[in-house]
Amino acid sequence: MWPLYAAGFTTAFGAHGIAANLGGFSDDAVTSLLVLGGLLALYDGAEVVLKPVFGTLADRVGARPVLLGGLVAFAAASAMYVAADSPGWLWAARLGQGAAASAFSPSASALVAQLNPAAKHGRAFGSYGFYKSIGYTLGPLLGGVLVWAGGLRLLFAVHAVLGAVVAVWAALAVPVVPPLPKVRQTVLDLARRLADPAFLTPTAALAAATAALSVGVGFLPVSGRVAGLGTVATGAAVSLLAASAALVQPRAGRALDEGRLTTRSGLLTGLLLTAAGLACAMLPGLLGILPAAVLIGAGTGLITPLGFAALAAGTPPERLGQTMGAAELGRELGDAGGPLLVAGVAALATLTYGYAALAALLFLGPAIAVSSSYSRARSRTSRPSPPTRPWSGRVRSRRPRARRRDLP
């Protein structure tokens, strides 16, 4: 399992380590905000398009070859910029990294499910999410130190070495899991499976959690700057958010495996905690930023392992790669949609109303779930009982009547 955890760390470190340092340390390549936005969108755009494709490929040829190929491609794309060191090759390297992460990220998730029994899925995905959160947390910090010491070339060189080391480690330690035979699937069958609540509910919760996490990382520093706080305080708040998510995930997975938490109650609680954190972000200064960071981190840390464990439990083993790829696509859409929603509302009103809009959207899911459960329970209790015959006043004996013998 450790190489799979390292793969999760690699994709998170690769996404945030470079993205957080492109604008401040690459004046020769990033000449405008439009160029910066394009470079940032390359990585996520490649993941949105290619993750379902590589997830389906993992079901066809096996998750291990796709994992190894993605890690090798990640190392090669990173080494491309180290060798060339030009603005044009930066675009190519960033696109290559995103495409490679699209291959090994869903494959790692599928292998986490395949190499662990169903009774340990919660703990396994909790640990996988923990190390991925560590990558998100340390990526901007370590990336900044590396860029400060040797520029973007040093950061890409570290990514190349990391991808190569994890690829060799996975080749030596991850066992071969042959692809399972599967029934032919039509487009209509795929649409029905993806529209099933067993897939749609955890994926929607994962997308909502990722949207809130992206908003917290991107907009809480803006709230802190408006309140007059320095970069140290706002950076500490973002680190607190990531640390809270990292600490909650293994505990949530362990509680699920031990039966102390159900998927339904855990997802609902996580959404409510995340919505409460966004509501706290509406308050000014540290009074709002610190509890917002803790609650958003705790909510997303609760949702992530439970959502992936629910997807693994409700998916046929031969379709795990496809399901994980589609779920990762939902997370990427939430990653992009959350900041767009908050920014759009903030442009029309203020950032406070942007937080309120996303909080209301996250609160809507648990409210609908609770109301639908109440409606079903009420319909069962109010169902009329079958009509009974009126009592005639005679009591019938329960003893069977003796058969009358025919006379000769």
Side-chain angles (χ1 to χ4, degrees):
M1 292 300 295
W2 287 104
L4 301 180
Y5 298 157
F9 173 86
T10 301
T11 183
F13 182 68
H16 282 201
I18 294 177
N21 295 283
L22 279 173
F25 298 94
S26 54
D27 296 334
D28 56 337
V30 181
T31 56
S32 67
L33 291 177
L34 183 61
V35 173
L36 176 60
L39 283 170
L40 294 176
L42 271 179
Y43 194 99
D44 293 330
E47 289 187 317
V48 168
V49 175
L50 295 177
K51 274 186 174 179
V53 177
F54 283 115
T56 304
L57 181 63
D59 290 331
R60 182 171 301 177
V61 303
R64 185 175 181 270
V66 180
L67 171 74
L68 298 179
L71 289 169
V72 171
F74 184 86
S78 302
M80 183 191 307
Y81 180 75
V82 177
D85 190 20
S86 66
W89 284 106
L90 177 60
W91 288 79
R94 196 61 179 158
L95 179 61
Q97 282 186 329
S102 304
F104 70 79
S105 180
S107 300
S109 300
L111 284 169
V112 169
Q114 291 172 349
L115 296 178
N116 289 277
K120 294 184 178 180
H121 276 172
R123 186 173 303 179
F125 280 109
S127 299
Y128 178 75
F130 170 79
Y131 288 102
K132 204 168 184 178
S133 297
I134 293 297
Y136 287 132
T137 305
L138 297 181
L141 177 61
L142 292 180
V145 172
L146 291 172
V147 171
W148 173 80
L152 277 178
R153 291 184 70 183
L154 179 59
L155 179 56
F156 273 93
V158 171
H159 282 171
V161 173
L162 178 63
V165 169
V166 176
V168 173
W169 190 9
L172 296 175
V174 176
V176 177
V177 182
L180 298 175
K182 46 187 174 292
V183 181
R184 183 179 179 181
Q185 178 182 245
T186 64
V187 176
L188 184 59
D189 294 333
L190 175 61
R192 287 174 178 170
R193 192 163 61 84
L194 297 185
D196 189 272
F199 171 83
L200 204 56
T201 300
T203 302
L206 288 169
T210 308
L213 183 64
S214 181
V215 167
V217 171
F219 288 96
L220 285 181
V222 177
S223 298
R225 187 168 63 249
V226 171
L229 301 176
T231 56
V232 175
T234 56
V238 173
S239 299
L240 182 63
L241 188 154
S244 177
L247 292 175
V248 169
Q249 289 192 58
R251 291 166 173 80
R254 192 178 303 113
L256 177 66
D257 291 340
E258 294 174 355
R260 294 182 285 111
L261 186 67
T262 64
T263 302
R264 176 184 173 84
S265 62
L267 292 179
L268 293 179
T269 303
L271 288 171
L272 290 175
L273 284 174
T274 308
L278 291 168
C280 289
M282 299 168 61
L283 301 175
L286 288 177
L287 181 64
I289 293 176
L290 291 181
V294 173
L295 290 175
I296 293 174
T300 56
L302 187 59
I303 291 170
T304 302
L306 302 186
F308 278 112
L311 289 171
T315 302
E318 67 274 12
R319 302 289 184 187
L320 271 174
Q322 188 180 70
T323 296
M324 294 303 173
E328 291 283 356
L329 171 61
R331 295 187 73 193
E332 295 296 334
L333 293 177
D335 194 11
L340 286 176
L341 172 65
V342 173
V345 175
L348 297 175
T350 62
L351 185 55
T352 300
Y353 288 98
Y355 290 137
L358 186 57
L361 190 61
L362 266 63
F363 179 77
L364 190 62
I368 292 176
V370 172
S371 62
S372 62
S373 300
Y374 175 74
S375 299
R376 288 195 298 268
R378 186 175 181 181
S379 63
R380 287 195 298 266
T381 56
S382 62
R383 187 177 301 168
S385 57
T388 58
R389 296 180 179 179
W391 183 52
S392 61
R394 294 184 300 173
V395 179
R396 295 182 179 181
S397 174
R398 294 182 179 271
R399 292 179 299 176
R401 294 182 179 180
R403 296 180 61 184
R404 185 179 64 180
R405 297 181 179 179
D406 295 332
L407 297 177

